[in-house]
């Protein structure tokens, strides 16, 4: 019996990675005098990977990584005006309106009263709080957990806070690495709802044969999944 | 009767602002060809103030503000190598070892078992979690609340989470604006322990006549304050 349902934020409830992708395209265009797009993408990913343990997730670290990558790929020839434009792109991401994915509002309505709801989202605390507030979902869920990393320890802590056991917890999200694998590992249930863009550092293959794993096409399938799990 | 004691992190439990101040001195030296130190400080503060609603608190936003300020005060003449050095200064702040303030460990020991302890700290989630972990205090307190802003709503949420009333809560910290004023406003108790450097955007005067306010010279005075409040 599922008593607590965790919903991922970015790319599960609202669009995020698609905005980052647009920004990376703008970066590629800005830096086209210095690097070809494929090379730039590879170098940007290397910078992000290198900086992750220092910056964590989120737009501010992404912006600093864009600046570092620009300096690197241009061999220091990037102009200061171009660096300012990169910062402006970062600010554009931070001020981008929150757009809910299709069906989110109806699904949250449909789940209301059936199961306790908690948003579990990772990234910059300040930006995530702004996005949760702008989403209009804050008052429609029991809790909002903004975390630095979605690993087994984090999920254990969240479950402790809500007083539920792992086998009473279902996590729904677009990231196999963050929303599925650690939840299965601690004995919980997980449903993967893919988003059309996945950040390369989040790419992972789900264990499709796992007893407590379900692949869904859309968030709209979550209420029916709860029915199936209840009949289990 | 105080049942929950909130301890601020930066500049109350461990040094922080003094590291920022050293970094700002390095920035002033780096940019001395373009601006005199006083002008730079003023412009940096303006940039930080302007960016606060977008970036929130923490090192990554501070680093982006340093870059913007460098571009501004130099009229775009700052070199790309200098911008990279600014990013390196930011990374230096993120990797700086955590140094507890004098007496912290003994005071936490002395409070153990007397009152429930919670660290309430604001800033970058990822960096604050790293600092809490490195402080060695995580296992010695009941909870760690990393928040985006310390306002009345935040403190109400924390009190709700721990199930205590405002009059059972004492907050101890170095910032009048963040640790004292909002706590008094919701009916809690607050003790101000000054740090030798205060970020200008945090500067505020305490209401020294407030019934539930106490000015302390050191964190070491907290156990005696609890005695006085218990006898109240």
């Amino acid at each position: 019996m599922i008593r607590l349902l965790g919903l991922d934020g970015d790319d599960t409830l609202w669009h995020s990675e698609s905005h980052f992708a647009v920004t990376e395209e703008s970066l590629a265009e800005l830096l086209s005098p210095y690097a070809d797009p494929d090379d730039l993408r590879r170098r940007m990913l290397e910078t992000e990977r290198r900086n992750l343990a220092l910056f964590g997730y989120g737009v501010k670290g992404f912006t600093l990584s864009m600046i570092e990558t620009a300096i690197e790929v241009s061999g220091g020839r990037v102009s200061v005006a171009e660096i300012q434009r990169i910062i402006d792109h970062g600010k554009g991401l931070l001020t981008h309106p929150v757009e809910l994915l299709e069906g989110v509002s109806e699904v949250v309505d449909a789940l209301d009263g059936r199961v306790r709801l908690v948003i579990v989202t990772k990234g910059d605390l300040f930006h995530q709080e702004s996005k949760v507030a702008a989403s209009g979902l804050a008052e429609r869920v029991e809790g909002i957990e903004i975390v630095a990393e979605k690993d087994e320890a984090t999920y254990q802590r969240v479950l402790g806070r809500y007083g539920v056991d792992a086998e009473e917890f279902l996590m729904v999200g677009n990231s196999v690495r963050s929303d599925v694998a650690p939840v299965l590992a601690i004995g919980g249930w997980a449903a993967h709802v893919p988003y059309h863009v996945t950040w390369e550092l989040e790419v992972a293959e789900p264990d499709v044969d796992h007893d407590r794993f379900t692949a869904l096409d859309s968030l709209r399938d979550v209420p029916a999944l709860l029915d199936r799990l209840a009949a289990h």
Side-chain angles (χ1 to χ4, degrees), chain A:
Chain A
M1 182 68 184
I2 302 299
R3 292 175 53 220
L4 184 68
L5 176 64
L7 292 163
D8 169 52
D10 289 348
D11 303 323
T12 298
L13 296 177
W14 50 75
H15 294 277
S16 171
E17 194 53 33
S18 50
H19 304 155
F20 279 87
V22 169
T23 302
E24 289 211 52
E25 274 170 40
S26 305
L27 183 72
E29 198 175 312
L30 186 71
L31 299 179
S32 58
Y34 313 112
D36 76 73
D38 284 343
D39 186 43
L40 175 71
R41 199 164 297 120
R42 193 178 51 76
R43 300 284 286 274
M44 178 65 189
L45 203 65
E46 273 170 26
T47 313
E48 284 183 281
R49 201 188 303 270
R50 190 178 67 221
N51 285 337
L52 197 58
L54 214 52
F55 294 160
Y57 303 97
V59 171
K60 288 176 289 184
F62 176 73
T63 306
L64 289 167
S65 289
M66 284 198 289
I67 297 172
E68 284 205 323
T69 305
I71 295 174
E72 270 177 41
V73 299
S74 70
R77 288 176 299 139
V78 63
S79 74
V80 160
E82 286 162 337
I83 289 178
Q84 181 62 55
R85 285 194 50 200
I86 293 173
I87 296 178
D88 293 339
H89 279 305
K91 290 186 175 179
L93 277 175
L94 287 171
T95 51
H96 200 292
V98 170
E99 301 155 351
L100 293 187
L101 268 75
E102 218 192 279
V104 164
S105 198
E106 299 89 304
V107 169
V108 170
D109 271 347
L111 294 171
D112 186 37
R114 282 197 60 176
V115 65
R116 296 165 68 192
L117 291 176
V118 56
I119 296 174
V120 187
T121 181
K122 79 173 186 221
D124 273 336
L125 182 57
F126 192 78
H127 190 208
Q128 289 290 335
E129 282 197 1
S130 308
K131 288 199 274 191
V132 170
S135 74
L137 298 172
E139 288 74 32
R140 298 164 69 189
V141 297
E142 180 176 330
I144 296 146
E145 301 294 331
I146 300 170
V147 300
E149 185 62 272
K150 287 178 163 178
D151 52 19
E152 297 176 29
T154 296
Y155 283 109
Q156 296 278 21
R157 202 176 67 225
V158 170
L159 295 184
R161 180 165 276 178
Y162 291 82
V164 302
D165 295 330
E167 62 264 32
E168 303 168 317
F169 177 60
L170 167 66
M171 182 71 198
V172 179
N174 73 299
S175 170
V176 171
R177 193 177 79 80
S178 295
D179 303 315
V180 172
V183 175
L184 295 178
I186 64 166
W189 301 78
H192 182 229
V193 184
Y195 188 70
H196 66 280
V197 198
T198 305
W199 184 34
E200 248 178 275
L201 297 185
E202 285 289 335
V203 170
E205 284 305 312
D207 176 3
V208 291
D209 295 327
H210 198 293
D211 279 351
R212 296 188 310 279
F213 171 75
T214 311
L216 299 178
D217 290 329
S218 155
L219 206 66
R220 294 186 195 274
D221 302 329
V222 171
L225 172 62
L226 278 185
D227 291 338
R228 288 205 303 281
L229 294 180
H232 199 72

